[in-house]
Amino acid sequence: MQTLQQKKQKLFIVSEVIGKIRSYGGDFVEYDNSAGTFQKVSEKMAFKTVGRGFHYIYQSQYRSSIENQKRQHVIQRQHEDETILQIMNSNKRVNTIMNCVSEKIQSNEDTISDENFERIFMLANMNILKELKESQCDKTFLQACNE
């Protein structure tokens, strides 16, 4: 949350930018369709326009920006994926199940039906989930994700 001092500083900067633009003979306008001409905008609209410009430039630095939230989500997901991979690789039973499925699929690659393929993977997934629950990896996973 911004402090009152930070808000005052931002308003001062926006005001300075507007003043500088006007000191060079510039202004803030918008096209009026009915008149077919450009009209000056209100002081409030000029402040909003400049403020939005700064927000756009610095949006990646705002914790609340959508881009920043997406970036944080990707980082969190990568961390979770790495944690899952570590848990999976450290569990011998899970590795055995995965190797068994891999060998079975590779040895019957040309003859295995889609139905058998799905059945093998479903059974493997069920066994892996059962093993992970029994080994209480969910606690390990939650602890690792919270680090």
Side-chain angles (χ1 to χ4, degrees):
M1 187 62 82
Q2 291 182 41
T3 65
L4 184 58
Q5 185 64 29
Q6 289 171 321
K7 287 181 182 182
K8 285 180 180 178
Q9 287 174 334
K10 287 181 182 181
L11 284 173
F12 176 76
I13 292 169
V14 169
S15 179
E16 288 291 307
V17 169
I18 292 170
K20 197 59 111 168
I21 290 170
R22 289 185 174 148
S23 74
Y24 287 107
D27 215 332
F28 295 86
V29 296
E30 67 183 356
Y31 188 73
D32 183 352
N33 285 328
S34 60
T37 61
F38 286 93
Q39 304 290 325
K40 280 187 177 183
V41 298
S42 67
E43 194 70 12
K44 184 177 180 180
M45 183 58 91
F47 266 84
K48 281 185 177 181
T49 302
V50 173
R52 270 191 237 120
F54 279 117
H55 185 80
Y56 178 75
I57 292 168
Y58 295 106
Q59 68 186 350
S60 65
Q61 295 178 14
Y62 295 119
R63 289 178 57 193
S64 63
S65 75
I66 292 172
E67 288 79 11
N68 193 47
Q69 290 174 7
K70 286 180 184 177
R71 190 172 34 261
Q72 292 300 323
H73 181 72
V74 167
I75 291 168
Q76 176 68 25
R77 184 60 190 222
Q78 287 172 338
H79 179 66
E80 290 171 359
D81 289 347
E82 289 169 6
T83 303
I84 289 170
L85 192 59
Q86 286 175 337
I87 291 170
M88 299 287 278
N89 288 334
S90 67
N91 188 306
K92 290 179 183 177
R93 175 106 171 95
V94 170
N95 277 319
T96 302
I97 294 168
M98 290 172 58
N99 288 335
C100 179
V101 168
S102 179
E103 288 172 14
K104 189 167 204 131
I105 298 298
Q106 287 176 356
S107 66
N108 298 312
E109 191 173 353
D110 296 331
T111 59
I112 193 165
S113 69
D114 289 347
E115 186 177 299
N116 277 342
F117 186 82
E118 288 178 20
R119 186 178 61 75
I120 290 168
F121 270 98
M122 185 170 45
L123 288 171
N125 283 334
M126 287 172 37
N127 284 321
I128 288 171
L129 286 173
K130 181 180 176 187
E131 172 59 29
L132 293 176
K133 284 180 184 178
E134 288 174 1
S135 67
Q136 300 202 356
C137 84
D138 52 344
K139 291 178 185 174
T140 306
F141 175 71
L142 290 174
Q143 288 171 348
C145 286
N146 289 328
E147 291 175 352

